Amino acid sequence: MLHDLRRAVLASALLLAGSQAMAADVVLSPSPGSHWQKLSAEPYKGKQDDIYFVNDNLGFYVNGKGNIFRSADGGKTWKNMLKQPGTYFRAIGMVDSQNGIAGNIGTDYFPGVTDSTPLYETHDGGDHWKAVANLSGPPVKGICAIDVLHEGRDSSRTIIDAAGRVGGPARLLRSTDGGKTWKNIDMTPWLAMITDVKFFDAKHGFIFGGTDADTDKSHGVIVATQDGGAHWTRVYESSRGSELIWKGFFGSRLVGYATLQNYDTNPKVTQRLVIKTTDGGKTWKEIPLVDDKEVMEFGAGFANADVGWIGTNKGGFETHDGGAHWEPVDIGRYVNKFRILPDNRQHFVAFAIGSDVYKYTSEAMPASPTTSGAVHIDKP
């Protein structure tokens, strides 16, 4: 009986592989010999933004050159499924092996972006992509984050939240039927720009971002809802200007982390901070990451409440004690997104995307090419 119950819990966790945290707090641990390995992905001069694995084998990643790549072998090899110059793909999420969406940051933020379509969808496993045509409400400028939540043990209902954008304006596109219909929610009463979104269930979720579209005036902010997005409450705001929350990640239902970007030009402002909650997001505290003014934080990823990683422009940081201590780790620069995939043995594999694509696994992966040229990031 206990064995069957454990298998059921783990099976439920696997349905949430594309999400950031599990509904049930299965404590995941690394498989023996697991370590970060650089994958044989196409070299890229810049920060790539999102990666998503449907299962152990099938995965996708996107970048700012309008590319969508697909792997059918757990990241060993990748195939370019779409090359669309002028589109800046910032986020991707899959409902299942056939159906998914990809978000474009939109125009008037990055140079060279000419595509104003916020969302694309596929219904044939990524072979073809088309603009989502049934978006209600005012035009959405762009998308920075996508959260896919399978609600129910049999994934009978899939909730998708697509939010953006950095630099504003702040809007949330919400679908409670796997992308068939969408609700367009104006988030400007609560924050000015959105950089990440995370829901635990249909009602309870968080949005991360900044209080002002002007980074120099912005404070990092996290807002929470308990009614599916009808009302929001500010649960964290940084006390300093020139800051914004970049990415959030829950290693368990109660313990979560978020990266805080700081743009203060004062040479004395050197401490870089991570935001942490231990009560499910009701309250947040700031914990130190590193005392180095040159560090800019990006992605956050946690396998459980204590073990996780932070991506920065100078490389990765790793903790095994809930952020009390951090050590450098080789995951490349500018890691913007982490994805954790539980297995059926209470272990996990993980993926990280930035300048390069990495996999945390005990399996030997093929040798990867070296990215040539300097990486230059004008904007986050």
Side-chain angles (χ1 to χ4, degrees):
M1 179 69 71
L2 181 60
H3 179 67
D4 290 340
L5 178 61
R6 182 174 297 173
R7 288 181 60 187
V9 171
L10 285 169
S12 177
L14 282 168
L15 291 175
L16 297 181
S19 301
Q20 295 173 336
M22 295 170 290
D25 279 345
V26 178
V27 179
L28 302 175
S29 60
S31 296
S34 293
H35 61 288
W36 288 104
Q37 300 178 59
K38 186 178 175 182
L39 299 184
S40 184
E42 183 177 291
Y44 187 82
K45 292 182 180 179
K47 175 175 65 66
Q48 302 176 108
D49 286 295
D50 204 359
I51 189 167
Y52 194 103
F53 268 76
V54 180
N55 52 47
D56 290 346
N57 293 314
L58 181 61
F60 299 80
Y61 79 84
V62 298
N63 63 36
K65 290 187 177 180
N67 291 312
I68 298 180
F69 292 88
R70 182 177 69 192
S71 175
D73 55 12
K76 293 184 177 71
T77 60
W78 297 89
K79 181 180 179 181
N80 191 323
M81 306 308 298
L82 179 65
K83 191 174 184 66
Q84 188 167 283
T87 303
Y88 192 119
F89 286 119
R90 194 82 182 229
I92 187 167
M94 298 297 292
V95 174
D96 51 39
S97 63
Q98 296 297 305
N99 303 286
I101 60 170
N104 169 37
I105 199 170
T107 57
D108 305 322
Y109 191 77
F110 280 104
V113 179
T114 58
D115 184 3
S116 60
T117 301
L119 273 184
Y120 287 84
E121 62 185 357
T122 182
H123 298 290
D124 56 11
D127 287 344
H128 302 89
W129 296 81
K130 64 179 182 179
V132 176
N134 60 333
L135 298 179
S136 63
V140 174
K141 194 67 175 179
I143 297 298
C144 276
I146 292 172
D147 182 62
V148 179
L149 172 66
H150 298 294
E151 192 173 59
R153 292 182 179 180
D154 59 351
S155 297
S156 57
R157 185 162 78 139
T158 299
I159 299 169
I160 307 174
D161 290 282
R165 68 176 185 174
V166 62
R171 300 199 76 88
L172 172 65
L173 293 174
R174 172 156 249 246
S175 174
T176 57
D177 54 14
K180 295 181 179 67
T181 60
W182 294 88
K183 183 178 181 181
N184 188 336
I185 302 174
D186 180 12
M187 293 298 301
T188 56
W190 296 283
L191 72 175
M193 59 171 136
I194 296 175
T195 52
D196 207 0
V197 56
K198 169 61 191 171
F199 271 79
F200 286 118
D201 53 45
K203 293 184 177 181
H204 300 87
F206 298 87
I207 283 180
F208 307 82
T211 60
D212 199 290
D214 184 345
T215 303
D216 292 337
K217 300 176 182 178
S218 176
H219 293 231
V221 64
I222 304 172
V223 297
T225 182
Q226 297 184 38
D227 56 13
H231 302 88
W232 296 83
T233 302
R234 187 168 291 183
V235 292
Y236 168 81
E237 181 179 345
S238 65
S239 60
R240 303 157 299 273
S242 302
E243 290 185 337
L244 64 150
I245 298 292
W246 190 248
K247 295 298 178 186
F249 204 110
F250 282 80
S252 73
R253 181 59 182 87
L254 292 178
V255 181
Y257 301 80
T259 51
L260 182 66
Q261 290 189 344
N262 185 290
Y263 292 87
D264 196 328
T265 58
N266 185 341
K268 295 182 179 180
V269 179
T270 60
Q271 183 65 57
R272 297 299 179 248
L273 303 167
V274 173
I275 316 304
K276 180 178 180 179
T277 179
T278 56
D279 57 11
K282 296 177 183 178
T283 61
W284 298 76
K285 66 177 182 179
E286 299 170 353
I287 60 175
L289 174 67
V290 63
D291 190 358
D292 185 346
K293 185 170 183 59
E294 300 304 315
V295 166
M296 178 67 70
E297 298 175 37
F298 290 95
F302 277 76
N304 54 49
D306 295 318
V307 178
W309 303 271
I310 300 294
T312 82
N313 61 327
K314 297 182 74 173
F317 290 87
E318 180 178 68
T319 182
H320 290 268
D321 55 12
H325 302 89
W326 299 92
E327 297 292 337
V329 61
D330 184 10
I331 51 175
R333 293 184 291 171
Y334 299 103
V335 167
N336 192 67
K337 199 70 176 183
F338 294 86
R339 299 288 186 179
I340 312 295
L341 275 76
D343 63 15
N344 59 1
R345 299 177 303 278
Q346 293 186 310
H347 296 308
F348 68 92
V349 296
F351 293 87
I353 187 167
S355 297
D356 300 288
V357 183
Y358 278 75
K359 183 177 183 178
Y360 186 83
T361 179
S362 59
E363 179 185 7
M365 303 301 290
S368 59
T370 301
T371 302
S372 60
V375 175
H376 178 67
I377 304 295
D378 293 316
K379 292 182 178 181

